[in-house]
């Protein structure tokens, strides 16, 4: 969303920030200093950036700003999962989730206000779509979480160790802003996350996957959810445009020449839909030859979905069949379900601007649980 007035420096990567400072008559190396103040020290007031000259601080105060969304809900689940509802400048709201684990802390960030893909098992897709997030609005989710959690990017003992673009929206339909935000996440002057610790999850926008290989080396997750086109057409309508064969060819290209790179395939297990033994056997044949890890995700309920989760026996049987076929396979533990923070449950608050529906999606803003 374009805004008038001073530039929001929060969403500029190192190159963009250097270009901005050059336009103010400064040397490009100042970008590293400003980045550290904004992202590592969480400073928004240019007057507090004491290793910058007074004249530069004055020019920054005149021509730039560091704006972050307003936190209107901050809830913690019984398992420690924490979810923020963030209000954007235009009144829309997005959700961001932090999942703590032993030795690991993963932040799930959104890339769009809503989602236009209409995946049938996802609450976000049921709500519709409003717009893309700016790079500043994407990286602001990391900053808000880092400050709330007491995370210090300069420390070796970090609270926030991983970021996944698996929240609201399809990241590859907001390509430039997402790539810029990921560059900031991985920049040593900002959050310093390794490339294997930033993961982009996509439903399979095939042309953008080829482009991503050229500009970023981030980890990749594919929302697959079905082992054949007929079933995937139903669950992931984007498959009608980019069928499985085209998607997997793009996946092979993405890992080509990268001996240690694997693609994570996400598979939501839905009772009586895609959880049968024959589906597991078909999936094992489908992914043969692709360096893969398979994440099984028992379906997380939401109102009016029409779906239900499989029983534990079916989940374990599906997993064991894939393991016997030689795949690294894990069942993702449901986290944050009691605050609607589990995979597929994020909704946010926004007006749907797609043609199929238009409504305000209500969210009750509650304090910490």
């Amino acid at each position: 969303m374009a805004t008038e007035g001073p530039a929001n420096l929060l969403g500029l990567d190192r190159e963009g920030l250097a270009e901005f400072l050059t336009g103010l008559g400064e040397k490009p190396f100042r970008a590293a200093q400003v980045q550290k103040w904004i992202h590592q020290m969480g400073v928004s007031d240019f007057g507090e950036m004491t290793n910058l000259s007074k004249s530069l601080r004055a020019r920054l105060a005149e021509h730039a700003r560091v704006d972050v969304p307003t936190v209107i809900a901050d809830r913690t689940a019984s398992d420690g999962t924490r979810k923020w509802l963030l209000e954007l400048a235009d009144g829309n709201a997005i959700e961001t989730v932090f999942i703590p684990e032993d030795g690991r802390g993963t932040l799930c960030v959104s890339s769009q206000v809503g989602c236009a893909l209409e995946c049938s098992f996802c609450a976000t897709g049921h709500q519709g779509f409003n717009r893309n997030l700016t790079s500043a609005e994407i990286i602001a989710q990391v900053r808000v979480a880092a400050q709330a959690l007491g995370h210090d990017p300069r420390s070796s003992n970090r609270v926030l160790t991983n970021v996944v673009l698996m929240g609201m929206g399809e990241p590859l339909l907001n390509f430039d802003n997402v790539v810029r935000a990921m560059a900031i996440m991985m920049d040593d002057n900002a959050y310093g996350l390794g490339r294997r610790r930033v993961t982009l999850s996509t439903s399979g926008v095939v042309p953008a996957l080829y482009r991503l290989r050229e500009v970023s080396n981030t980890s990749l997750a594919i929302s697959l959810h079905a082992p054949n086109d007929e079933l995937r057409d139903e669950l992931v309508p984007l498959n009608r445009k980019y069928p499985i064969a085209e998607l997997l060819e793009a996946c092979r290209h993405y890992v080509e020449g990268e001996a240690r790179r694997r693609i994570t395939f996400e598979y939501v297990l839905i009772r009586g839909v895609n959880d049968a033994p024959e589906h597991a056997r078909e999936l094992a044949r489908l992914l043969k030859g692709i360096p893969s890890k398979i994440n099984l995700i028992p379906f997380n309920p939401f109102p009016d979905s029409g779906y239900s989760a499989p029983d534990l026996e079916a989940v374990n049987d599906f997993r064991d069949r894939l393991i016997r076929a030689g795949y690294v396979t894990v069942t993702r533990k449901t986290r944050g379900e009691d605050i609607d923070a589990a995979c597929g449950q994020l909704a946010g608050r926004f007006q749907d601007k797609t043609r199929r529906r238009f409504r305000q999606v209500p969210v009750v803003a509650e304090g910490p649980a």
Side-chain angles (χ1 to χ4, degrees), residues 9 14 21 33 42 70 160 171 175 182 194 209 287 301 306:
L9 301 189
R14 188 187 303 193
L21 290 169
Q33 293 174 298
T70 301
L160 198 164
F175 191 93
M182 291 193 302
L209 271 175
L287 300 182

Side-chain angles (χ1 to χ4, degrees), residues 113-257:
V113 183
C115 185
L117 295 189
E118 297 189 85
C119 294
S120 62
F121 53 86
C122 178
T124 308
H126 275 229
Q127 311 308 327
F129 173 78
N130 186 280
R131 65 173 176 85
N132 285 331
L133 294 179
T134 65
S135 56
E137 290 167 335
I138 297 170
I139 202 66
Q141 298 170 71
V142 183
R143 177 178 161 128
V144 166
Q147 291 186 321
L149 297 166
H151 170 81
D152 185 350
R154 299 166 294 178
S155 169
S156 58
N157 185 23
R158 300 181 178 187
V159 179
L160 198 164
T161 64
N162 295 71
V163 175
V164 293
L165 285 104
M166 296 182 184
M168 300 169 62
E170 164 52 60
L172 291 185
L173 292 181
N174 187 13
F175 191 93
D176 292 339
N177 287 318
V178 163
V179 168
R180 190 177 302 114
M182 291 193 302
I184 298 170
M185 295 174 198
M186 293 184 282
D187 197 305
D188 288 339
N189 293 321
Y191 298 95
L193 295 170
R195 64 185 179 94
R196 290 187 177 87
R197 295 187 176 273
V198 177
T199 301
L200 183 150
S201 175
T202 176
S203 293
V205 185
V206 169
L209 271 175
Y210 284 101
R211 186 181 171 200
L212 184 67
R213 165 67 193 259
E214 302 304 316
V215 300
S216 179
N217 57 1
T218 188
S219 295
L220 183 66
I222 300 295
S223 294
L224 189 62
H225 312 303
N228 59 68
D229 283 325
E230 183 180 5
L231 182 52
R232 196 166 191 262
D233 284 351
E234 176 187 337
L235 298 176
V236 186
L238 183 67
N239 194 71
R240 300 167 194 165
K241 186 170 185 179
Y242 305 116
I244 290 176
E246 293 182 21
L247 173 58
L248 294 187
E249 184 59 33
C251 290
R252 293 184 183 94
H253 174 76
Y254 195 82
V255 298
E256 187 178 7

Side-chain angles (χ1 to χ4, degrees), residues 298-320:
F299 174 72
N300 294 303
F302 61 89
D304 303 320
S305 69
Y307 294 137
S308 60
D311 57 39
L312 182 60
E313 182 180 357
V315 173
N316 290 342
D317 179 72
F318 201 99
R319 179 202 61 203
D320 292 345

Side-chain angles (χ1 to χ4, degrees), residues 244-295:
I244 290 176
E246 293 182 21
L247 173 58
L248 294 187
E249 184 59 33
C251 290
R252 293 184 183 94
H253 174 76
Y254 195 82
V255 298
E256 187 178 7
E258 298 281 347
R260 297 181 61 189
R261 178 174 284 181
R262 289 188 302 180
I263 292 178
T264 298
F265 289 93
E266 298 165 317
Y267 195 102
V268 170
L269 286 165
I270 306 170
R271 182 193 296 267
V273 176
N274 65 351
D275 64 337
E278 57 264 32
H279 293 129
R281 290 191 291 267
E282 193 174 2
L283 180 61
R285 292 193 298 269
L286 181 72
L287 300 182
K288 187 175 182 180
I290 301 176
S292 305
K293 174 185 175 182
I294 302 173
N295 274 356

